[in-house]
């Protein structure tokens, strides 16, 4: 699966900005607001793209619970997160 961010393109400033955005949205909008979940998904993708699969998995697990509660287990957003979690799990298992 291709991701918009490759190891070569991620820098500490981008990651820090994504963390700040997530924290701000969580604080102002709440944990399950769509914008907050998008920020969490962005962080998960960042960590996945740089090979930090355990951190990415923890974010995907949180997102999976949130999207399941918000949209239901069979919603396309939930299923996408579950698919990404499986990708990360397979990377962890192969390491």
């Amino acid at each position: 699966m291709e991701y918009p961010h490759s190891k070569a393109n991620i820098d500490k400033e981008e990651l820090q900005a994504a963390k700040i955005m997530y924290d701000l949205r969580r604080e102002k909008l709440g944990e399950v607001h769509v914008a907050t979940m998008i920020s969490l998904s962005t962080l998960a993708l960042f960590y996945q793209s740089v090979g930090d699969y355990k951190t990415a998995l923890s974010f995907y697990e949180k997102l999976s619970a949130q999207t399941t509660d918000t949209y239901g287990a069979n919603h396309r957003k939930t299923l996408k997160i579950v698919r990404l979690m499986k990708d990360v799990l397979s990377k962890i298992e192969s390491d």
Side-chain angles (χ1 to χ4, degrees):
M1 177 172 252
E2 290 291 321
Y3 297 100
H5 306 286
S6 68
K7 290 181 185 183
N9 294 331
I10 297 290
D11 65 25
K12 290 180 182 182
E13 289 178 7
E14 276 185 303
L15 183 56
Q16 188 61 30
K19 287 178 184 178
I20 290 168
M21 183 59 69
Y22 170 69
D23 289 340
L24 287 172
R25 286 179 171 173
R26 187 182 64 213
E27 182 182 313
K28 298 292 182 186
L29 303 173
E31 195 71 46
V32 295
H33 190 279
V34 67
T36 307
M37 289 191 282
I38 289 169
S39 290
L40 187 57
S41 178
T42 299
L43 280 173
L45 284 169
F46 274 158
Y47 281 105
Q48 183 176 358
S49 70
V50 297
D52 187 346
Y53 301 119
K54 290 183 181 179
T55 302
L57 181 60
S58 70
F59 289 139
Y60 285 136
E61 288 171 338
K62 187 174 189 173
L63 275 167
S64 177
Q66 290 172 343
T67 56
T68 299
D69 289 347
T70 303
Y71 302 110
N74 293 317
H75 190 275
R76 63 181 172 78
K77 291 181 181 183
T78 304
L79 295 173
K80 180 180 180 181
I81 297 301
V82 169
R83 190 171 56 252
L84 290 167
M85 277 178 47
K86 287 180 182 179
D87 289 347
V88 169
L89 277 171
S90 71
K91 295 284 188 181
I92 291 171
E93 291 170 357
S94 69
D95 284 347

